[in-house]
Amino acid sequence: MSGARRVLARGREARIYSGAAWSVGDADGSLERGWTGTRSWNGPDLDGTDLWDLASVTKPIVGLAVMALVDRGVITLDHTVGTHLPTYRGGDKEDLTIRHLLTHTSGIPGQVPLYRDHPTRTALLDAVRLLPVTARPGTRVEYSSQGFIVLGLIAEAASGQPLDSLVNRLVCEPLGMKHTFFRPGARWRARAVATEDCSWRDRLIVGEVHDENAAVLGGVGGHAGLFSTLRDMELLGAALAAGGRGLLSADTCTQMTAAHTDGLALRRCLAWQGQDPTGSPVGDAFGPDSYGHTGFTGTSLWMDPPTGRYAVLLTNRVHPTRVGDGIAGVRRAFHDAATRPGPDRPCAVGVG
């Protein structure tokens, strides 16, 4: 049994999640992959075709669509919110730039549970627009799902396409990611991995978005809502390991994955997290120039450009409840194990 499999099997034994899937690879594809556990605590075994709620790993995938629009000259990073969203003109977000939104330096407050008081799409979007900016743009990194909701609206306005169609056209179709989408619907429910027994919706969530704000938006948001499979995430990891192959020009991919918050406390790329000086969610396994993103449901994609490696981790750590943070230790241990040579593996990562 590989070290990664042992780590993730122990996580299930500790009831941090009912199931986990993983892959470590490079530009040529997976070097080690597998899955362990079940789709829910009372459900069928995972079989590798399972559908996972990516949660905030949605953000960099939406970011890739935005950067593809930059590549095509449809938008620039210095375009402002007011350039594309007329309803924001005259407000405190009018002059925020796309760069600010991508780097979480817009000053738009972070994780605000707007769904509690704004139960319709129109009402919630109005509430996002009216949220007061709490910091001067570019001076502080504050993780902001609300900022990515605005980014999604800009992408729709600039392209003239709904966000789900845009992501499919610019990211999923070029890579052959046939099972990555918003709103998977009833036909995919049997393959979906369960998430939370949600008190707000009064039911177990299976095959619909876990994030409540995204649920009010109809399941499609710039911040959350995408579902995917292990295979599709491997395709994305391999493309990024190859410098954005099939998605972005080499220069735009380099720009997207470089640090853009020098001088601030947290390291952020464009839509990606970096290795913060205070510590990384993947521990010390990947180097200081690595980048990636985590998701609240227990998902992550992390890239290490110097070694050309990617690591995908998919779990349902919010099933049946979000209480507890055992996934933090599992995530660090997984990345450490996945990059450690085994006795029969001469490379950093071998075939499991």
Side-chain angles (χ1 to χ4, degrees), residues 63-310:
L64 284 164
V66 169
M67 295 305 291
L69 294 177
V70 171
D71 244 350
R72 289 160 171 77
V74 176
I75 60 175
T76 74
L77 294 176
D78 295 319
H79 276 181
T80 65
V81 173
T83 300
H84 297 284
L85 302 179
T87 59
Y88 279 73
R89 293 169 189 165
D92 61 358
K93 300 174 188 64
E94 177 181 8
D95 294 328
L96 300 178
T97 66
I98 290 173
R99 190 190 308 271
H100 290 140
L101 297 172
L102 285 166
T103 56
H104 297 277
T105 59
S106 67
I108 298 175
Q111 308 304 89
V112 185
L114 296 173
Y115 68 93
R116 293 176 181 170
D117 299 314
H118 307 281
T120 68
R121 175 180 171 84
T122 297
L124 192 141
L125 290 179
D126 283 343
V128 171
R129 178 171 53 82
L130 296 172
L131 273 176
V133 170
T134 57
R136 186 163 58 85
T139 64
R140 184 180 75 193
V141 174
E142 180 180 356
Y143 184 71
S144 177
S145 286
Q146 282 66 41
F148 267 72
I149 291 174
V150 177
L151 186 68
L153 297 176
I154 291 173
E156 290 184 326
S159 67
Q161 286 188 273
L163 185 62
D164 52 353
S165 298
L166 186 70
V167 169
N168 185 59
R169 179 171 68 87
L170 296 183
V171 181
C172 299
E173 286 185 354
L175 297 185
M177 295 169 63
K178 297 179 180 179
H179 301 106
T180 300
F181 33 62
F182 295 93
R183 294 185 294 203
R187 63 179 293 218
W188 299 104
R189 188 175 298 273
R191 284 173 52 183
V193 178
T195 55
E196 192 168 16
D197 189 357
C198 178
S199 59
W200 175 63
R201 284 170 276 194
D202 196 28
R203 63 179 180 274
L204 179 67
I205 303 305
V206 184
E208 60 179 301
V209 64
H210 174 262
D211 182 275
E212 297 93 343
N213 286 339
V216 172
L217 293 175
V220 182
H223 69 301
L226 277 172
F227 287 74
S228 190
T229 62
L230 179 63
R231 176 57 181 156
D232 275 12
M233 293 304 291
E234 289 173 326
L235 292 172
L236 179 57
L240 291 167
R245 179 182 60 200
L247 294 175
L248 304 174
S249 68
D251 287 346
T252 298
C253 187
T254 298
Q255 183 181 34
M256 184 183 188
T257 58
H260 285 258
T261 57
D262 290 342
L264 302 182
L266 300 176
R267 186 178 187 269
R268 292 294 177 268
C269 311
L270 297 177
W272 297 101
Q273 299 169 250
Q275 290 278 41
D276 293 331
T278 55
S280 162
V282 301
D284 300 323
F286 282 12
D289 294 324
S290 68
Y291 66 91
H293 215 288
T294 61
F296 188 72
T297 52
T299 58
S300 61
L301 169 63
W302 213 268
M303 310 296 305
D304 192 36
T307 63
R309 298 294 169 88
Y310 70 78

